[in-house]
Amino acid sequence: GYVKAILEAYGKRKDEVTVALQHELGAPYKFANNVQAALMSMHLREYLDVVDEYEWKHAEGTSLIVKEPIGVVGAITPWNWPLNQIAVKLAPALLSGCTVVLKPSEVTPINAYLLAEAIHEANLPPGVFNMVCGSGSEVGEVLATHPKVDMVSFTGSTRVG
């Protein structure tokens, strides 16, 4: 599936992502590589491990509970754990059938650009993953209030979006 293809394409860019995180965050190499950059792969693998066992439908009393894609998910992420937060928003949305509009922090956008290139390499259909950049007060607010965005997941302060 697409998330597995993203994982594979991201793996080819992990070294480049590590360097970007060193520059963007000022993180030492080991922390940038072994923690920050590694979290994307770890989370994608974990979601891939559980998605097939996830109970999308279940009976409760006389009701049938059905979990369906919500639609367009706006994902607004902070500067300090950028790939961790992108992963925990992106993977569940894609695996449940949603499309994603990512707005990474304007403080640490390069790692998100590198991830977007990996996602492009994974050949998702047009429009399934989108990325917009800019400040939280401007771009984040538009994303958070746009009528075609069905759900917003953001991590950070109110200034984020």
Side-chain angles (χ1 to χ4, degrees):
Y2 294 123
V3 174
K4 185 175 181 185
I6 293 168
L7 177 62
E8 290 171 5
Y10 175 78
K12 296 174 194 171
R13 294 179 169 268
K14 186 175 175 256
D15 292 340
E16 191 177 2
V17 170
T18 296
V19 172
L21 288 164
Q22 286 181 273
H23 291 282
E24 288 184 305
L25 292 173
Y29 174 81
K30 283 186 178 181
F31 183 71
N33 186 63
N34 299 343
V35 180
Q36 290 277 357
L39 286 170
M40 175 60 69
S41 300
M42 182 196 78
H43 285 305
L44 294 182
R45 278 193 298 274
E46 287 179 354
Y47 282 110
L48 286 167
D49 286 346
V50 300
V51 70
D52 291 333
E53 298 169 20
Y54 189 78
E55 197 171 289
W56 296 96
K57 296 179 185 180
H58 72 276
E60 192 164 310
T62 59
S63 300
L64 178 64
I65 308 297
V66 180
K67 298 172 185 168
E68 299 177 334
I70 196 164
V72 178
V73 175
I76 302 173
T77 59
W79 67 269
N80 53 347
W81 287 94
L83 289 170
N84 179 70
Q85 292 302 313
I86 292 171
V88 299
K89 295 172 189 320
L90 179 70
L94 293 177
L95 289 168
S96 66
C98 296
T99 59
V100 175
V101 180
L102 170 65
K103 194 222 87 58
S105 169
E106 66 275 16
V107 178
T108 55
I110 304 304
N111 66 84
Y113 279 107
L114 295 171
L115 173 63
E117 289 174 0
I119 292 171
H120 181 72
E121 184 181 321
N123 290 315
L124 274 69
V128 171
F129 172 81
N130 309 276
M131 189 169 85
V132 294
C133 293
S135 72
S137 60
E138 293 176 14
V139 177
E141 183 160 340
V142 170
L143 183 59
T145 61
H146 197 284
K148 291 192 176 184
V149 173
D150 299 295
M151 184 182 111
V152 176
S153 174
F154 83 90
T155 302
S157 65
T158 54
R159 196 176 74 79
V160 167

